[in-house]
Amino acid sequence: MAAAEPKIALKNFVWTVSNQRSDPTINVTPGAAREGVYLLKCSDSVVTIHGTCARITFEQCNNCEVVYDSVLSSVEFIKSNGCKSTCNHQARGAMTHVLDSSVGCSVKLSTGVIAGRVFTARSKNSSIFVYNADIQLWENYPLPDDLEDGHQISHKFSTREKRVETSDVSREGPSGYIVY
C-alpha cells in the first residue's frame, strides 16, 4: 500500500497538514485568528505557525513538533507519540492542552504563560517544560502516567509558583462539581 500524498491546505478555517515525512521546514501563516491547524499522520517534521491561530491538533503523528506564536484555545495531542508543542519565548501560549492516548509528548511554554491546564487520558511519559529566562533553560515538570480507561486527569500548572497540581476529574461535572 502506497503512502498517502503529503498535503497542506486551508479548508473551512482549518489548515490541514497531513502525511508529511521528515520535513523540518513546514510553515503555516493563518490569515485570521479563527483558523486552526490540524496535523494528521505526520512524522519527523517541524511545523512553524506564524501569527495567531485558534487551536492546534496533532492526530496520529510521530516525533513531530509545532512551534507557534500564539494559540487562542488549545493544543491537542490525539493518538500521537513523541510530539511536542513549543510556544515562542516572547509569545503567550495556549492555556489548555489535551493529551489523549498519547505517549512521550511535551508541552513547552514561554514565560508569557501564567497558568493553565493539561488534561490527560490514557497517556504516559509526558511533561510540561517552562522556560526560565533567569537561567535561560527549560525546567521540566513530568506529568503522572494515566493509563486507566475511563479516567481523565487534570494537571493545573502555575509558572509563577513553579508547580503542577494533579487531580482526577473523571467524576467531575460542570464547574468542578463531583457527579455521583
Side-chain angles (χ1 to χ4, degrees):
M1 187 166 132
E5 189 71 27
K7 180 174 85 170
I8 300 174
L10 174 64
K11 184 178 180 183
N12 297 328
F13 304 107
V14 177
W15 284 94
T16 300
V17 179
S18 61
N19 304 305
Q20 302 293 322
R21 303 282 181 258
S22 302
D23 188 347
T25 60
I26 301 168
N27 290 290
V28 175
T29 304
R34 65 182 174 182
E35 294 175 6
V37 178
Y38 178 69
L39 282 76
L40 176 64
K41 297 182 181 177
C42 296
S43 66
D44 304 308
S45 297
V46 178
V47 178
T48 303
I49 301 171
H50 304 280
T52 300
C53 66
R55 73 196 154 285
I56 300 169
T57 303
F58 294 80
E59 186 168 351
Q60 298 178 33
C61 293
N62 292 300
N63 302 316
C64 289
E65 179 178 8
V66 167
V67 179
Y68 63 92
D69 290 335
S70 183
V71 174
L72 298 178
S73 65
S74 65
V75 176
E76 300 175 344
F77 299 86
I78 303 167
K79 297 180 183 173
S80 294
N81 298 307
C83 294
K84 62 183 166 183
S85 66
T86 303
C87 178
N88 285 332
H89 296 286
Q90 67 275 20
R92 182 177 167 195
M95 292 306 184
T96 302
H97 294 76
V98 177
L99 288 85
D100 188 358
S101 301
S102 296
V103 176
C105 293
S106 301
V107 175
K108 296 177 90 174
L109 302 172
S110 72
T111 53
V113 176
I114 306 297
R117 280 194 139 164
V118 177
F119 292 96
T120 61
R122 297 174 305 276
S123 296
K124 67 178 185 174
N125 300 331
S126 298
S127 293
I128 299 171
F129 290 86
V130 178
Y131 188 74
N132 185 331
D134 295 336
I135 58 174
Q136 297 184 344
L137 290 173
W138 291 94
E139 295 178 327
N140 181 12
Y141 297 88
L143 300 174
D145 291 350
D146 168 31
L147 299 175
E148 290 187 46
D149 285 336
H151 286 272
Q152 183 179 27
I153 305 297
S154 170
H155 310 279
K156 186 177 176 183
F157 62 88
S158 168
T159 56
R160 284 190 180 153
E161 297 173 21
K162 300 200 183 302
R163 67 186 172 116
V164 176
E165 294 177 13
T166 299
S167 61
D168 184 342
V169 294
S170 302
R171 296 174 26 162
E172 285 187 13
S175 304
Y177 294 105
I178 300 296
V179 178
Y180 291 100

